[in-house]
Amino acid sequence: MSDFQSIKLENGLEIIGEQLPGVQSAAVAFFVTHGAVDDDDGNAGLAHLTESTMFRGTARRSSRELTEQLDRIGARYSSSTGLELTLFSGIMLGNHLPEALEIFADVLESAAFPAEELEAVRALQLQEIGQRDDQPQQLVVDLARRRYFAGHPLGHDSLGTLESVTGVARNQVVESWMRWYQPGSTLVAFAGNFDWIAVVEQLRALTEGWTGAGQRWRSSPPEINPAFTVDHLEGAQENLCFSLPGVGYGDPGFYPLALASSILGSGMNSRLFMEVREKRGLAYSVFARFDAMSSTGLVRVFAGTQPERAAESVEVIHSQLRLLEREGVTETELALAKTRLKSRVVMGSESTGNRVMSIGRDWFYERRHRTLTEIRDAIDDVTRIDVAECLDRIGLMENLGLVALGPSSASDLGIESRVGNLAPSRKSGS
Amino acid sequence: MTVQPRSETTLLHQTLENGLQIVGQHIPGVESTAAMFWVKTGARDEGPAESGVSHFLEHMAFKRSKTRTYVEFNHEFEEIGAENNAFTSIEMTAYHARVLGDQLPKAIELLADLTQPALDATDFDEERRVILEEIARHRDQPYSLLFDEFLGAFYPGSPLGQPTLGTPETISAMSVRDMQAYRDRRYGSDNMLVSVAGNFEWNRVLEQIRDITRDWPRPTVMAHVSPRSGSGRDRIITDSKWNQQHFIIGTPSIDRSDPQYYACAILANILGDSSGSRLFWALNQTGLADQVGADTMTFADRGVMLAIAVTDPDKAAKALATLREELVKLQTGPIQDEELERAKMKLLTSTVLEGESTSARMMGLVDSWLAYGRLETLEEVQSAIEAVTVQDVKQLLDRFPLTESQVLTALGPLSADELVE
């Protein structure tokens, strides 16, 4: 069913693509092996600053020319910096891919980093920090990761701090670009309506003068910090985010953990939705999410609740986590979670923008392509034993972290706040 | 223009004997279908003491029907792998699900059942707590709060300016009887619309819905209440807890059925699209404001054009002055042909993506049905976009000047005085 192809050009640039029948749109994404993990201690936010300045002009084109060429073909495009990868992507009508590739290749190979543009981008990044910090739910979920992986590159703040972003010099940005943006560590993925031979030939010609093997960030999995911390923030709700250990892409525990996380906290049939919201009305927003990285992963559980009921929320979530660790999941739950996940995979693949991300991630992290059938089979193969083994391996309760952000104090919440491996001080009854 | 028209499938519509309307379109090559039950009721149809009842009722729908409790609803939606949810807006309450094709009948059965809640008093008291949590969460998010405050400032004294979630006071005072009375008034079969898009059998859908809804009550059609509103007034909310300064400037604009709908979409794109728009160059690219945008909100009988910016407090006065200046320039200065063409191309891409997404198409069908009482093919939409001229946009600006009747809403650490350069 899959029209998948891949090639590696002479300069090391990898290209993959999957045709999707019946669509007019094409999605393209450049996966650059670079991210916030590469930021040094003193330059937190450098990777993001570099990425967002790249569209501000190249050796041949001004910022206005770059933007207008993409706008003329009606492309929807964006760039973003993650922990381990930086993305440049666009969706457009398939017949306009050539104009878009010209721009993306120019930006990656020949970004010029004009000084005045860099200052404008720096000002915007400082604002981004302020905006993120104005949104408690977003902030606490990010803070949970940063604290859980503190002291390790996976705990970096990709936006940086006011001080670090202000302190970055232009030559650091240029050096960072020269060091990390190389064809040997870049992957280009296509999905939808495109001509494979044509895009490969065009990219070959466009990147002829682009060289460099690049490098890939490698690290042992982080030491985790399963601490409970409480931060004061004025607001109507207490924002609670628990952190649990996860597994990385390609780990045999990947689907078992994805399913366990889904049973715990994805959607209205999940345990947390039932126990925290439906039965007790403690929160409007409550969920679990699992994020995988190359060497490890992370499960986070969020709930937003008014201060007078925050202690009860902590207690209920805590007892649900303990229950999951002790008793695992039931056959019925597992079957439903599989249906949910498979359905999401199939429905998600109908959009070229989603599909390009999914084939790109598979190739980037695991160097393989999976058809929808292969993914469905892998999900179907998971047993209760697999889930139990995975939960056992990650040591859920002994590695539990919590960040509470809001008006409550540690004693309001019924927890002790200090670094270390602590359970809530109040015993919870489930 | 370079969009190749693609042969489209037939637009489908049917009005049942009980007044319920069904619209649909097949999308070739997809496995999924998106379906939605729409009730033409929302915050604008609430009296002041009822504020928030439409949204609260939408929550109650998931708690209990005659045959199901939340346990069954949640379980059964999960069994069919549905991506399902509901939302309430100023004029609409909608229950929707996206499923793989063979699960559609079950999805329709569940969605229909959601619109017939049992409204149990104990559930009501329990769910009230969730609503109060939702309001609390809303107040901790500057965008949500800003938006509510803006509508309140733009439509003072009108239900259009009431927050969709209601207030802690109205929600705390509300009784299940009030909700029942509202529901009886608004949830008649002839005030509902069902839309489906994707992979489905039309006749089977019609038959099933006809069967399910046969005995549904059909009260007299209730048009939206069309309230007067006073003139808008600026609203500056100063609170030092926010890091960033947020603005919306609103001006009156077209209603949903206006023939200049596409000219207006192009105008909003020229003004505030996230790439290459006037505000993008003036505010974002200069480092003044990280977030900028413009959009039109259209209602049955009126509308508003919004220009939005989020900025650092120390750049706020400059950003606000620049924003106002850009509105003047667009109102009085030239619009370049190239600028118009770029905006058109971006909108055309959106229509193509709509045609490839079952959920976007399901929404799109309803938009045109509500606006014009008929369905538009995407080809018609594309032709309408291509036909817009600079002259059309100018004419629209004459009808709804961006420089008159402006209402400013600001949320952030700065006072009114500090917002002036």
Side-chain angles (χ1 to χ4, degrees), chain A residues 324-344:
Chain A
L324 180 65
E325 180 177 70
R326 280 186 194 163
E327 296 178 20
V329 300
T330 68
E331 281 299 346
T332 314
E333 286 177 318
L334 187 61
L336 286 178
K338 286 180 179 180
T339 304
R340 178 187 181 82
L341 192 55
K342 286 184 290 181
S343 175
R344 294 292 184 285

Side-chain angles (χ1 to χ4, degrees), chain B residues 298-356:
Chain B
T298 60
F299 305 113
D301 54 354
R302 65 194 80 192
V304 53
M305 174 73 81
L306 308 160
I308 302 163
V310 183
T311 170
D312 253 355
D314 62 3
K315 296 186 159 63
K318 176 104 191 285
L320 182 57
T322 309
L323 177 55
R324 289 194 193 278
E325 207 176 286
E326 286 302 321
L327 294 173
V328 172
K329 277 192 206 158
L330 184 52
Q331 182 65 36
T332 57
I335 293 172
Q336 307 300 332
D337 284 334
E338 280 207 355
E339 193 174 22
L340 184 82
E341 292 307 313
R342 289 194 297 267
K344 284 184 185 179
M345 228 14 244
K346 286 187 269 184
L347 294 178
L348 288 170
T349 302
S350 305
T351 65
V352 169
L353 294 177
E354 179 181 326
E356 294 176 2

Side-chain angles (χ1 to χ4, degrees), chain A residues 22-25 56 63-64 67-68 71-77 91-93 95-96 117 120 123-124 127-128 130-131 133-137 234-237 239 266 268-269 273-274 277-285 304-306 309 312 332 336 339-340 343-344 346-348 350 352 376, chain B residues 2-4 6 30-32 59 62-63 70-71 74-75 78-85 98-100 126-127 129-130 132-134 136-137 140-143 239 241-244 246 275-276 280-281 284-291 310-312 315 338 342 345-346 349-350 352-353 356 358:
Chain A
V23 297
Q24 281 181 287
S25 71
R56 296 299 187 108
S63 172
R64 191 172 280 272
T67 302
E68 289 187 353
D71 284 351
R72 257 198 305 278
I73 59 169
R76 296 299 185 78
Y77 64 97
I91 303 184
M92 67 226 74
L93 300 178
N95 56 331
H96 287 305
E117 297 284 355
L124 297 182
Q127 295 182 29
E128 250 183 281
Q131 280 176 46
D133 294 351
D134 271 342
Q135 299 175 74
Q137 178 172 332
E234 199 186 319
Q237 280 192 319
N239 298 275
S266 292
M268 292 190 252
N269 197 52
F273 193 89
M274 285 288 190
R277 177 164 156 177
E278 296 281 29
K279 288 195 190 155
R280 296 180 178 80
L282 291 169
Y284 166 75
S285 181
T305 174
Q306 291 184 78
R309 295 192 290 160
E312 191 184 348
T332 314
L336 286 178
T339 304
R340 178 187 181 82
S343 175
R344 294 292 184 285
V346 175
M347 294 199 282
E350 288 177 0
T352 53
R376 275 192 279 214
Chain B
T2 44
V3 178
Q4 296 299 318
R6 193 165 69 140
V30 299
E31 280 190 65
S32 76
H59 274 235
F62 286 87
K63 293 303 266 190
Y70 65 86
V71 176
N74 295 343
H75 187 89
E78 198 80 340
E79 271 182 330
I80 57 170
E83 242 173 40
N84 68 291
N85 212 331
R98 185 171 171 232
V99 289
L100 294 173
E126 277 170 16
E127 196 61 18
R129 297 164 55 147
V130 174
L132 293 172
E133 289 293 341
E134 191 175 355
R137 175 176 181 269
D140 281 349
Q141 294 182 324
Y143 292 97
D239 189 335
K241 80 170 184 176
W242 303 113
N243 292 306
Q244 297 290 292
H246 308 73
S275 170
F280 172 85
W281 291 115
N284 184 271
Q285 294 290 290
T286 52
L288 279 176
D290 184 55
Q291 295 290 325
V310 183
T311 170
D312 253 355
K315 296 186 159 63
E338 280 207 355
R342 289 194 297 267
M345 228 14 244
K346 286 187 269 184
T349 302
S350 305
V352 169
L353 294 177
E356 294 176 2
T358 53

Side-chain angles (χ1 to χ4, degrees), chain A residues 78-143:
Chain A
S78 64
S79 62
S80 66
T81 300
L83 284 170
E84 296 176 305
L85 70 89
T86 301
L87 270 168
F88 296 78
S89 59
I91 303 184
M92 67 226 74
L93 300 178
N95 56 331
H96 287 305
L97 261 180
E99 293 104 305
L101 290 183
E102 238 176 69
I103 296 298
F104 281 117
D106 191 23
V107 163
L108 290 171
E109 284 178 62
S110 318
F113 304 98
E116 69 282 10
E117 297 284 355
L118 175 64
E119 291 321 303
V121 174
R122 190 197 308 274
L124 297 182
Q125 190 162 330
L126 294 173
Q127 295 182 29
E128 250 183 281
I129 297 171
Q131 280 176 46
R132 191 260 326 267
D133 294 351
D134 271 342
Q135 299 175 74
Q137 178 172 332
Q138 208 184 317
L139 176 59
V140 80
V141 169
D142 194 51
L143 210 49

